[in-house]
Amino acid sequence: MRLTTEEQAMLRGEAGPAIRRAMEIVVALGQIYDADELVAVSHAQVAGVSYKNLGQAGLEFLQQWAAEGARVRVPTTLNPAGMDLAQWRELGVSAEFAEQQGRVIDAYLAMGIEPTLTCAPYEVGHRPRRNEHLAWSESSAVSFANSLLGARTNREGGPSALAAAITGRTPRYGLHLDEARRATHLVEVRCSLEDAADFGALGYLVGRRVRNGVPYFRLLGHTPDLSLGPGSAGEELLRALGAALAASGAVALYHVEGVTPEAGEPDILPAAAERVTFTRLDEGYAALNAPVEDIDLVTIGCPHASLAQIAEIARQVAGATLRAALWVTTARAIRDQAAALGYVAAIEAAGGRVVADTCMVVAPVEELGIHALATNSAKAAFYAPSHGGVSARFGSLEQCLAAARTGRWAT
Ligand code: F3S
């Protein structure tokens, strides 16, 4: 692999031990994937923030790297933590967990990372442009950046994204290259798709089928308007699709004919792409629904909710008295905007909460006494059993909010 003079110096430790350690990770990754060279990244997004997932060993690794002088060279943001930094007590998080979680964030702050604590950095001012090279690690954000914005990032691990942030480089392989962005599967969808849950169910089914391929969707049934742009309804629906594709499979890029920016590129759909047809979604809904009736928690906002989604939830719960807990999870900056517009007060008046900085998949749900949840996110329903031993119900936003009102899932 070719390294520039500056990169070679970093690798020899001439810029200090922290940068040498980071460059060793970047170069090792490049060698594994047979990259010819490194590419400069404009932004990094680091997962591996919740103390629940990191544990003591992960915390000490970060503290040691920070103490060696690790500092990021490019704007870098953080994935959700294990708790809402402001309301953790009210949510039932223990003081012990909160203390360790605070240490994790302190280590990242010492490195110069912006503590956005969101899986949707594109909602809080970090919206990359087409062909921009990134090192992002949250799988739903990777899917969003590649597919909806035409930016270029592999699905990084937490340490490799952090190493890219510290060196400003990532190996040029995989989705940084044109050839890996071509479709491996032509997915013809012959049923209608009405809402985010339908897009999530489809994503679950296709991810399971194509694994780490690049699906090219031809949507032949009825769909809502999928026009893209910040805050558009189309973007919300495709976020649900991408998050599910990345959860049940390892899809980091997909194309939607007539919608996503690279779908019209010449050669994007090679003749050799495998053709797959889906005519129904019920198998996806069945796989993501456990047979539980009593619901402890309804959770909306996976990926983290946009302002428009919070406004819609506030409208739907206005005047209600909720029997199950309701968490609408979002970025702190979006919560602040929602509070200023009265949406947080409307949701709290019904008995719900707008929870920032975290989500139920990375929070220590075992500590919180939650056994059954309802969600409109296929990704959350997919991970709930394995990440917290929680049974999940999966359906539309309306079904979820009905469950919040009654405490039961209506079948
Ligand atoms: Fe985000 Fe948590 Fe879902 S990190 S994508 S809300 S699992």
Side-chain angles (χ1 to χ4, degrees):
M1 189 164 55
R2 290 187 303 278
L3 296 181
T4 65
T5 309
E6 186 193 9
E7 290 161 357
Q8 288 174 18
M10 288 188 204
L11 190 58
R12 285 195 300 268
E14 291 172 19
I19 293 183
R20 184 185 61 216
R21 187 202 288 251
M23 193 49 114
E24 284 170 354
I25 293 173
V26 169
V27 167
L29 202 59
Q31 286 166 341
I32 290 168
Y33 289 101
D34 223 7
D36 290 337
E37 59 182 357
L38 307 184
V39 60
V41 295
S42 58
H43 188 274
Q45 193 263 354
V46 175
V49 184
S50 172
Y51 181 70
K52 171 180 163 176
N53 300 332
L54 278 174
Q56 195 58 26
L59 167 59
E60 286 170 11
F61 172 78
L62 291 173
Q63 287 176 322
Q64 190 190 346
W65 213 352
E68 282 176 348
R71 301 291 179 269
V72 297
R73 291 185 159 215
V74 295
T76 303
T77 53
L78 283 184
N79 221 33
M83 63 186 201
D84 183 311
L85 299 191
Q87 337 177 60
W88 57 270
R89 279 189 197 81
E90 296 88 321
L91 295 172
V93 174
S94 68
E96 295 73 33
F97 183 93
E99 191 176 335
Q100 298 303 78
Q101 183 62 76
R103 291 190 175 129
V104 170
I105 293 169
D106 286 347
Y108 282 126
L109 283 174
M111 297 183 198
I113 300 179
E114 192 183 335
T116 48
L117 302 177
T118 182
C119 49
Y122 45 84
E123 294 284 342
V124 295
H126 299 282
R127 197 176 167 92
R129 292 182 307 277
R130 189 160 178 186
N131 293 327
E132 213 172 303
H133 293 275
L134 317 169
W136 282 18
S137 50
E138 157 53 35
S139 66
S140 67
V142 165
S143 168
F144 185 96
N146 279 318
S147 312
L148 274 61
L149 304 179
R152 297 186 167 216
T153 176
N154 287 315
R155 185 167 157 162
E156 301 287 347
S160 70
L162 189 51
I166 292 166
T167 60
R169 309 283 201 284
T170 195
R172 193 192 285 274
Y173 75 98
L175 295 176
H176 294 284
L177 302 171
D178 289 344
E179 51 269 29
R181 302 183 70 85
R182 297 193 185 115
T184 58
H185 295 74
L186 167 60
V187 180
E188 290 191 342
V189 182
R190 296 185 176 274
C191 51
S192 65
L193 302 167
E194 301 299 341
D195 58 14
D198 281 354
F199 278 83
L202 175 67
Y204 168 80
L205 290 170
V206 176
R208 215 172 53 166
R209 177 73 174 74
V210 308
R211 310 308 305 169
N212 63 351
V214 178
Y216 177 102
F217 287 93
R218 185 169 283 160
L219 303 179
L220 299 169
H222 173 264
T223 63
D225 179 9
L226 292 178
S227 306
L228 298 180
S232 65
E235 200 166 282
E236 304 287 4
L237 296 169
L238 293 185
R239 283 210 302 163
L241 174 72
L245 284 165
S248 66
V251 174
L253 166 66
Y254 63 91
H255 307 291
V256 181
E257 192 167 74
V259 177
T260 56
E262 292 171 54
E265 293 281 297
D267 304 328
I268 202 73
L269 180 58
E274 186 182 340
R275 183 183 289 244
V276 194
T277 303
F278 287 88
T279 55
R280 350 172 23 120
L281 301 175
D282 44 3
E283 196 190 326
Y285 278 100
L288 294 167
N289 268 278
V292 285
E293 304 304 329
D294 293 332
I295 300 296
D296 305 314
L297 171 71
V298 174
T299 179
I300 310 291
C302 172
H304 268 174
S306 66
L307 193 60
Q309 286 174 306
I310 298 173
E312 175 59 20
I313 295 161
R315 190 186 67 73
Q316 290 202 33
V317 302
T321 303
L322 305 181
R323 298 185 71 154
L326 168 66
W327 286 17
V328 182
T329 52
T330 191
R332 170 78 43 199
I334 300 293
R335 188 186 190 282
D336 290 347
Q337 291 175 40
L341 291 165
Y343 306 147
V344 173
I347 292 168
E348 287 181 348
R353 287 184 185 278
V354 180
V355 174
D357 312 322
T358 190
C359 75
M360 62 68 52
V361 172
V362 296
V365 281
E366 305 85 346
E367 287 188 7
L368 310 183
I370 295 164
H371 304 290
L373 64 79
T375 179
N376 67 339
S377 164
K379 175 174 179 176
F382 179 79
Y383 281 129
S386 59
H387 281 56
V390 177
S391 301
R393 280 290 188 178
F394 165 64
S396 67
L397 177 64
E398 289 69 24
Q399 280 177 292
C400 290
L401 294 181
R405 280 188 208 95
T406 62
R408 291 181 63 77
W409 187 260
T411 47

